[in-house]
């Protein structure tokens, strides 16, 4: 049988893990107007909540907006937002949202 002290310790560790995950999930994301003109790879990863592998896949796409400057990749925010709009398949297929704001 587990001791009460051990059970309390496990409960406390579980609470801390849940608290950390909730803080990450509820952390404020940047508003579109607060985004910089150019995003770095790390900013793109944070904005999309993705890891290196997915960032590499996106940056490797021929249609993804990016340019290379001084040995690093930069992503123009305005072009990225347009790219997102153009690649939002469900919205384009099932609504007239983008047609109504053009």
């Amino acid at each position: 049988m587990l001791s009460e002290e051990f059970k309390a310790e496990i409960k406390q560790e579980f609470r801390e893990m849940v608290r950390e995950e909730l803080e990450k999930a509820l952390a404020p994301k940047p508003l579109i107007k607060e985004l910089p003109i150019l995003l770095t790879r790390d900013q793109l990863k944070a904005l999309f909540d993705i890891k290196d592998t997915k960032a590499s896949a996106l940056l490797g796409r021929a249609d993804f907006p990016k340019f290379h400057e001084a040995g690093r990749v930069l992503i123009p925010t305005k072009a990225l937002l347009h790219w997102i709009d153009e690649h939002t398949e469900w919205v384009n297929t099932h609504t007239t949202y983008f047609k109504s704001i053009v």
Side-chain angles (χ1 to χ4, degrees):
M1 179 112 354
L2 301 174
S3 71
E4 292 303 314
E5 184 179 307
F6 182 72
K7 289 179 186 177
E9 187 178 320
I10 294 296
K11 283 181 184 178
Q12 183 60 31
E13 285 184 31
F14 181 73
R15 284 187 184 114
E16 288 175 19
M17 286 178 10
V18 169
R19 186 177 299 117
E20 288 173 10
E21 291 304 314
L22 282 172
E23 286 174 359
K24 279 194 264 182
L26 299 175
K29 302 288 185 208
L31 298 173
I32 291 174
K33 293 180 180 180
E34 295 176 0
L35 292 173
I37 293 171
L38 298 171
L39 296 171
T40 64
R41 179 189 186 96
D42 288 340
Q43 289 169 324
L44 175 72
K45 287 172 25 183
L47 183 64
F48 282 11
D49 192 23
I50 57 175
K51 301 209 181 336
D52 276 327
T53 305
K54 189 61 178 178
S56 294
L58 283 172
L59 292 168
R61 289 179 58 141
D63 65 337
F64 192 79
K66 64 191 171 289
F67 70 95
H68 299 271
E69 182 62 33
R72 65 182 184 158
V73 176
L74 296 173
I75 301 101
T77 302
K78 185 175 179 180
L80 174 64
L81 296 174
H82 180 72
W83 183 86
I84 291 169
D85 288 347
E86 290 295 313
H87 290 80
T88 306
E89 295 170 26
W90 189 91
V91 173
N92 288 335
T93 304
H94 297 90
T95 73
T96 59
Y97 175 75
F98 290 119
K99 293 174 186 135
S100 67
I101 61 171
V102 175

